[in-house]
Amino acid sequence: MNYDEFLLKIFNLTGIDLSLYKEKQMKRRIDSFIANNNCQSYDIFYDRLTKDTKVYKEFLKYITINVTEFFRNFDQWMILKNEILPKIIKKNMRIWSAACSTGEEAYSLAMIISNFIDLNQVNIIATDIDDVVLEKAKKGIYSNKSLEKVPKEYLKYFSCYNENNYIISEELRKNIVFKKHNLLLDKFPENIDLIVCRNVLIYFNDKAKEEIYKKFYSSLSTEGILFVGSTEQIIFPFKYNFTPVKTFFYKKMSKYLV
């Protein structure tokens, strides 16, 4: 089979439409993974995927590109804390960490929000397509090294788990709902006051990004804010009915224009 046929089979097998990712990047990643598993063709590799559960799980983890850290691009998090949240924080606020990977982003959110309001009074949803990373996120166990960028004021939320790892406090873990979600296929949550989706859309092609931006618009509440990654500035936000608040922060426009 050729590459396009392989992608169709993967979609039927996993529900993940890899054709909506940037083709050159994704094909390079897939070809590299296939070669590393000593398979000489898409046919041979696909057959192995359907028979070897370990390879199947490794492949899913590999193609969903899980790269994250606590307070990634720290200055942007401080804008969220000092300029965005004071204007929108409220009881029963609904927050969505989309494509949360192993949870560092969602927990970073919770730490910052705890400066303003009791976490029991907000609703934080964190989603990802990968079951493996979601399980890690739910456990909240992280290496010593991964805590290097966590501000000192938030280290109180970590306790020693073993010699090389720390665990997030129960106070944070119990107030975040982690669940599986496919940005390309699944229904988006509604009436969200803050969507945080960072360093994910860079992997999608233009068609996929346009659909996701439109769904984000519909997902947000009237005064909702979208927070994107440092490489994901929306060049023409008005096309998707967003208006910039700060760099990488976009407000839902009051009237849908197109």
Side-chain angles (χ1 to χ4, degrees):
M1 71 180 83
N2 61 31
Y3 180 68
D4 290 336
E5 292 170 335
F6 175 75
L7 294 190
L8 180 59
K9 281 185 169 290
I10 291 298
F11 176 69
N12 292 332
L13 181 66
T14 68
I16 301 173
D17 189 352
L18 296 179
S19 68
L20 295 176
Y21 289 73
K22 291 181 178 177
E23 182 175 344
K24 288 184 179 179
Q25 293 178 354
M26 183 54 67
K27 188 175 187 303
R28 184 166 58 246
R29 287 179 64 83
I30 290 173
D31 289 348
S32 175
F33 190 89
I34 289 175
N36 289 337
N37 280 270
N38 300 312
C39 294
Q40 288 72 46
S41 69
Y42 294 125
D43 297 83
I44 294 172
F45 179 68
Y46 181 79
D47 183 62
R48 185 170 178 187
L49 275 182
T50 61
K51 297 176 180 178
D52 190 325
T53 302
K54 181 180 178 182
V55 172
Y56 176 81
K57 290 181 178 179
E58 289 175 351
F59 180 67
L60 285 186
K61 183 178 180 181
Y62 184 76
I63 61 175
T64 49
I65 315 172
N66 295 297
V67 180
T68 188
E69 60 186 37
F70 290 105
F71 297 96
R72 186 176 183 180
N73 309 119
F74 183 77
D75 290 346
Q76 293 170 27
W77 286 96
M78 291 304 98
I79 292 173
L80 176 67
K81 176 184 177 183
N82 298 323
E83 302 185 45
I84 304 297
L85 280 176
K87 298 177 181 178
I88 64 173
I89 200 76
K90 62 182 180 180
K91 287 185 178 180
N92 299 317
M93 182 178 181
R94 285 173 56 77
I95 301 162
W96 178 22
S97 173
C100 68
S101 187
T102 46
E104 288 92 335
E105 180 180 273
Y107 289 123
S108 297
L109 265 171
M111 290 180 218
I112 286 181
I113 290 165
S114 70
N115 285 277
F116 299 92
I117 194 170
D118 190 313
L119 291 177
N120 291 317
Q121 297 178 324
V122 298
N123 300 290
I124 304 175
I125 308 164
T127 65
D128 200 273
I129 196 172
D130 188 336
D131 289 313
V132 175
V133 300
L134 284 172
E135 284 305 309
K136 178 175 174 59
K138 290 174 184 177
K139 291 176 181 177
I141 299 172
Y142 301 97
S143 68
N144 298 348
K145 185 174 177 59
S146 67
L147 272 62
E148 289 178 354
K149 293 185 179 180
V150 177
K152 290 182 180 179
E153 64 182 296
Y154 299 130
L155 292 176
K156 63 184 180 182
Y157 291 114
F158 296 85
S159 59
C160 185
Y161 181 74
N162 57 33
E163 184 178 353
N164 298 309
N165 296 284
Y166 283 78
I167 187 168
I168 290 277
S169 71
E170 175 67 15
E171 178 183 355
L172 263 64
R173 283 185 287 127
K174 73 179 182 181
N175 285 297
I176 301 176
V177 176
F178 289 99
K179 57 185 180 180
K180 188 171 183 177
H181 182 270
N182 185 334
L183 283 171
L184 299 172
L185 290 179
D186 295 336
K187 181 181 178 181
F188 283 23
E190 298 178 346
N191 201 32
I192 302 296
D193 300 298
L194 173 64
I195 296 175
V196 181
C197 185
R198 309 181 69 245
N199 308 300
V200 177
L201 298 185
I202 54 171
Y203 299 110
F204 294 132
N205 64 29
D206 289 340
K207 177 185 175 183
K209 283 192 285 190
E210 286 185 7
E211 287 302 311
I212 291 172
Y213 286 141
K214 290 176 181 178
K215 290 180 180 179
F216 278 154
Y217 176 92
S218 298
S219 181
L220 284 168
S221 62
T222 304
E223 299 297 320
I225 297 289
L226 171 64
F227 177 21
V228 301
S230 59
T231 59
E232 298 171 323
Q233 185 174 0
I234 306 176
I235 305 302
F236 300 110
F238 301 105
K239 178 180 178 181
Y240 309 106
N241 296 282
F242 288 110
T243 183
V245 180
K246 290 282 183 179
T247 306
F248 311 118
F249 292 88
Y250 300 88
K251 182 179 179 180
K252 180 175 179 177
M253 293 176 67
S254 58
K255 185 177 180 180
Y256 201 82
L257 302 178
V258 296

